């Protein structure tokens, strides 16, 4: 990531230093090289803007656009560009697919601004965005971005090869947070907290963690189903993907809850089948059970989901608390390969807790990524209890691997319980203020930073 970025910047430097396009004395008939701003919409408290960069020169242009926003305004989100900000000064550079603009071509990037008042003092590669020669034609209007939210941009996901791909077939990585158990901490999942997760943390996915036992679904199926439906709608309204997590934990054999799971997932899939943002996680953490039993459970449950929602991605738990058997005899990957779940469009899950799960787990996971479609639906930077000291260095090793391989991940958890892995300090949810970092524990500050720079969808 860092290497790519500095490469882009040095290309910019090279282009500028070589005087390509911008400093050359262009023939009078040449078009200008410009970055032109358009306000796409304005809703009073905010606005959507875009810049179209047109290369009027004769060589490829690697672009950098910078401008100032008036005080009291800011940027809420952006797309098709990378951003660095210093106070009110914002500098955008291109993504891998639009950093270089061919002669005569244009690219567009966009953003959402908060407050009122637009960009001023625009510079393209250090000179005025209006260009140095008179345009021979008016700047072309390019197609506006298809949407600003993760779901608007990526649509219905599907598994292609071992990757999670968007509707255009591009491999993507989702990053986001899991709720705590809804029976305990649903007061942390509301409009205000989800606005922060979607708009400030820039999350792409919310995992809705519904326990079955421990006071969960089995005690009130209708009530918990209604709660999950509500959270799905809230995620959908914010353009987030929603993982519906059947949070079975103890007993560890998912077949214990098979009848309940069929009822629940039939209802969820029937109700939300026309949405494009639902992923079904059918068994959080199986334990003390052979892979053959987990597979048998999946083979019975997945058709119930698919009868309603044929294209929803299904996530299947793995042996020994979704450790791919690393917490057992370590043979989980080979058992799956020898006897895979009998369905397409599925991924297998891996969970890790960085302060407990060492090289052996990382090696097991790396091996699995090379062989199976994987999704990390739960991890923590602390111990497997969800508590204790954080091992950020180890966690970063996992994150680096997942970034390289575009494996999606979800962190545990978006609540204010007293354990170190709950991102908010105790009492935050009752107080109802989630923005910024003042109410975050160390693990919360760390993970927020890693969610905030989303994948280059
Ligand atoms: C923990 C919760 C804790 C709860 C416990 C038992 O943080 O409040 O008492 O579960 O239900 C998992 C599980 C997840 C655990 C988490 C941390 O999926 O339910 O949450 N963890 O222990 N697997 C590994 C760790």
């Amino acid at each position: 990531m860092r290497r790519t970025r500095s490469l882009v910047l040095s290309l910019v430097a090279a282009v500028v230093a070589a005087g390509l396009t911008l400093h050359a004395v262009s023939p009078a008939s040449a078009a200008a090289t410009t970055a032109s701003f358009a306000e796409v919409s304005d809703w009073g408290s905010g606005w959507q803007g875009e810049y179209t960069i047109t290369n009027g020169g004769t060589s490829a242009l690697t672009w950098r656009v910078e401008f100032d926003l008036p005080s009291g305004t800011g940027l809420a989100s952006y797309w098709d560009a990378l951003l660095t900000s210093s106070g009110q000064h914002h500098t955008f550079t291109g993504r891998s697919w639009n950093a270089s603009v061919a002669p005569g071509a244009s690219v567009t990037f966009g953003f959402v601004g908060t407050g009122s008042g637009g960009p001023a003092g625009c510079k393209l590669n250090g000179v005025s965005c209006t260009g140095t020669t008179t345009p021979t034609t008016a700047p072309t209007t390019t197609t506006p971005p298809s949407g600003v939210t993760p779901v608007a941009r990526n649509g219905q996901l599907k598994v292609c090869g071992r990757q999670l791909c968007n509707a255009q077939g591009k491999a993507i990585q989702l990053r986001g947070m899991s709720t705590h158990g809804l029976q305990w901490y649903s007061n942390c999942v509301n409009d205000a907290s989800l606005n922060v997760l979607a708009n400030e943390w820039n999350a792409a996915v919310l995992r809705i963690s519904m326990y079955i036992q421990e006071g969960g679904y089995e005690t009130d199926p209708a009530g918990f189903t209604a709660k999950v439906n509500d959270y799905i709608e809230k995620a959908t309204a914010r353009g987030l993907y929603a993982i519906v997590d059947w949070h079975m934990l103890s007993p560890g054999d998912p077949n214990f809850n098979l009848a309940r799971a069929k009822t629940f997932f039939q209802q969820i899939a029937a109700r939300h089948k026309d949405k494009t943002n639902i992923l079904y996680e059918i068994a959080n953490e199986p334990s003390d059970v052979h892979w053959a039993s987990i597979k048998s459970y999946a083979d019975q449950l997945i058709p119930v989901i698919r009868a309603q929602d044929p294209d929803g991605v299904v996530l299947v738990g793995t042996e020994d608390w979704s450790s791919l058997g690393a917490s057992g005899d370590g043979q989980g990957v080979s058992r799956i390969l020898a006897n895979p779940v009998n369905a397409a469009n599925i991924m297998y899950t891996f969970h890790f807790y960085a302060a407990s799960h060492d090289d052996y787990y990382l090696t097991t996971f790396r091996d699995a990524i090379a062989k199976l479609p994987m999704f990390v639906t739960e991890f923590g930077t602390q111990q497997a209890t969800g508590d204790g000291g954080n091992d950020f260095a180890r966690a970063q090793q996992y994150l680096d691997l997942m970034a390289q391989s575009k494996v999606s991940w979800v962190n545990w958890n978006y609540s204010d319980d007293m354990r170190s892995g709950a991102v908010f300090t105790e009492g935050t949810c009752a107080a109802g203020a989630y923005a910024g970092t003042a109410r975050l524990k160390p693990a919360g500050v760390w993970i927020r930073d890693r969610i905030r720079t989303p994948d280059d969808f």
Side-chain angles (χ1 to χ4, degrees), residues 180 184 211 214 247 249 284-285 353 378 384-386 412 419:
H180 202 303
W184 295 312
Y211 278 68
E214 301 184 61
H247 203 84
L249 197 56
N284 166 48
E285 292 191 349
Y353 281 79
E378 190 184 300
T385 55
W412 181 263
R419 295 175 182 82

Side-chain angles (χ1 to χ4, degrees), residues 147-390:
V148 300
T149 70
V151 175
R153 296 187 64 73
N154 293 293
Q156 176 63 55
L157 305 178
K158 57 181 176 295
V159 180
C160 47
R162 292 190 305 275
Q163 301 293 148
L164 184 63
C165 292
N166 66 13
Q168 294 80 42
K170 179 181 180 203
I172 63 162
Q173 184 194 40
L174 303 180
R175 299 181 215 167
M177 291 300 301
S178 178
T179 71
H180 202 303
L182 300 186
Q183 78 274 41
W184 295 312
Y185 288 96
S186 52
N187 67 325
C188 296
V189 192
N190 51 54
D191 286 330
S193 72
L194 293 178
N195 283 345
V196 169
L197 185 64
N199 301 330
E200 184 190 303
W201 290 38
N202 297 334
V205 58
L206 173 73
R207 180 185 190 231
I208 301 166
S209 177
M210 185 193 69
Y211 278 68
I212 321 310
Q213 276 73 43
E214 301 184 61
Y217 177 85
E218 66 177 4
T219 65
D220 179 11
F224 278 95
T225 304
K227 199 166 261 198
V228 171
N229 283 332
D230 179 37
Y231 292 153
I232 288 174
E233 298 301 343
K234 284 180 162 44
T236 305
R238 289 162 180 78
L240 295 172
Y241 287 94
I243 297 175
V244 181
D245 164 30
W246 183 254
H247 203 84
M248 50 72 56
L249 197 56
S250 180
D253 183 349
N255 292 291
F256 179 84
N257 289 305
L258 176 60
R260 292 184 191 91
K262 283 184 174 172
T263 301
F264 172 76
F265 279 111
Q266 195 278 335
Q267 291 174 355
I268 294 290
R271 185 172 177 123
H272 302 288
K273 61 176 183 244
D274 294 331
K275 294 187 172 72
T276 57
N277 63 325
I278 315 295
L279 296 95
Y280 303 90
E281 184 177 4
I282 61 174
N284 166 48
E285 292 191 349
S287 61
D288 294 318
V289 65
H290 294 293
W291 168 248
S293 299
I294 305 171
K295 171 191 151 57
S296 163
Y297 165 81
D299 285 349
Q300 293 173 77
L301 185 56
I302 292 171
V304 173
I305 296 171
R306 293 274 157 85
Q308 304 299 328
D309 183 358
D311 57 3
V313 172
V314 174
L315 308 172
V316 183
T318 60
E319 282 180 274
D320 301 304
W321 298 277
S322 292
S323 74
L324 290 160
S327 292
D329 68 359
Q331 297 305 305
V333 173
S334 52
R335 273 191 292 271
I336 295 170
L337 288 168
N339 191 19
V341 168
N342 187 22
N345 213 25
I346 64 153
M347 307 188 96
Y348 298 93
T349 70
F350 181 71
H351 292 178
F352 69 89
Y353 281 79
S356 297
H357 297 145
D358 56 13
D359 280 341
Y360 181 69
Y361 284 75
L362 190 56
T363 303
T364 302
F365 180 42
R366 186 179 289 112
D367 176 49
I369 291 171
K371 295 171 178 164
L372 294 167
M374 296 302 306
F375 197 126
V376 171
T377 51
E378 190 184 300
F379 82 93
T381 50
Q382 47 297 123
Q383 291 168 3
T385 55
D387 207 359
N390 294 291

Side-chain angles (χ1 to χ4, degrees), residues 414-432:
Y414 203 63
S415 86
D416 65 354
D417 105 28
M418 79 288 193
R419 295 175 182 82
S420 63
V423 294
F424 295 111
T425 51
E426 282 182 272
T428 299
C429 302

Side-chain angles (χ1 to χ4, degrees), residues 15 98 152 334 407:
V15 167
N98 69 357
S334 52
V407 174

